Amino acid sequence: MSRTAHVVAQSNGAACLHCGRAVTFGMPIAIDDFVAMSNAFVKTHAKCKKPAGDQCAFCLGHGHTYLGCETVDTLGRWRESRDTGLSSEAIYRYFGGLGGDPRHPIDPADFGRCYRLTKRFPETLRALQALAAASKVWAALHKHWDELCRLYEEEFPTGRAPRLYARMEELGTHG
Ligand SMILES: [Zn+2]
Ligand SMILES: [Zn+2]
């Protein structure tokens, strides 16, 4: 892993996963400017140390987990957080009755975002039924949701999730 792998690009800027700071670039932006601004940001944050203790997946702050996050304490704030992806946003939309593309999680990282959303805001679990009606894969995931959650919880501390990945694949996540 590169020394500055903790400095990442995100939809409209860059973020440092160690100190949690982020910049937003005005889009569209000349590629030269984008590269220059990105490099400057990487340089500033190259030496940021990863603080000890829990890091919150929602706000990237330290000293608490997403379950105790005071910054991201509503679904609306979750929507603006750093922990969203296509499949967890599908849960959010179906929970709100908005429907749309029933994207399912395709790997443990995706599943983790869905897991955290539904753990922190358990009312969103209701969306799984609507998603199951809209997508065969979601129907399979919904049926085995507790088992998948258990696998996620068992494997999460190891930083790898081969069994969860295999089970998801069995349930059709790779079509
Ligand atoms: Zn930093
Ligand atoms: Zn937080």
Side-chain angles (χ1 to χ4, degrees):
M1 192 139 71
S2 118
R3 211 164 39 82
T4 53
H6 63 282
V7 187
V8 300
Q10 52 183 26
S11 58
N12 53 357
C16 172
L17 300 180
H18 282 180
C19 72
R21 288 199 184 83
V23 280
T24 306
F25 305 147
M27 292 285 177
I29 182 174
I31 298 212
D32 285 347
D33 293 339
F34 179 83
V35 169
M37 287 166 85
S38 301
N39 284 340
F41 187 79
V42 169
K43 214 168 156 190
T44 309
H45 292 274
K47 296 216 163 79
C48 280
K49 291 264 178 296
K50 190 179 178 109
D54 291 323
Q55 182 172 29
C56 172
F58 284 175
C59 75
L60 302 186
H62 287 84
H64 66 277
T65 70
Y66 69 98
L67 290 171
C69 187
E70 288 173 6
T71 314
V72 181
D73 58 353
T74 63
L75 264 178
R77 290 199 173 137
W78 171 84
R79 186 73 166 72
E80 304 295 313
S81 82
R82 312 284 186 74
D83 203 35
T84 62
L86 293 175
S87 51
S88 50
E89 282 181 3
I91 295 177
Y92 172 86
R93 275 187 283 104
Y94 274 73
F95 174 71
L98 299 171
D101 187 3
R103 285 295 184 103
H104 58 261
I106 56 165
D107 57 30
D110 265 350
F111 183 83
R113 286 184 281 271
C114 296
Y115 174 91
R116 288 187 291 275
L117 170 63
T118 55
K119 275 284 162 184
R120 176 62 183 81
F121 303 103
E123 64 273 24
T124 57
L125 276 172
R126 268 191 276 140
L128 299 195
Q129 233 159 49
L131 282 162
S135 141
K136 255 192 196 149
V137 179
W138 264 117
L141 295 173
H142 180 222
K143 193 167 164 203
H144 299 276
W145 194 253
D146 292 344
E147 178 199 345
L148 295 168
C149 288
R150 225 170 29 245
L151 282 172
Y152 178 81
E153 288 161 5
E154 279 173 29
E155 294 188 311
F156 180 76
T158 69
R160 296 180 61 251
R163 285 161 58 218
L164 174 59
Y165 190 87
R167 189 67 178 117
M168 287 173 70
E169 206 170 12
E170 266 172 31
L171 294 174
T173 54
H174 288 70

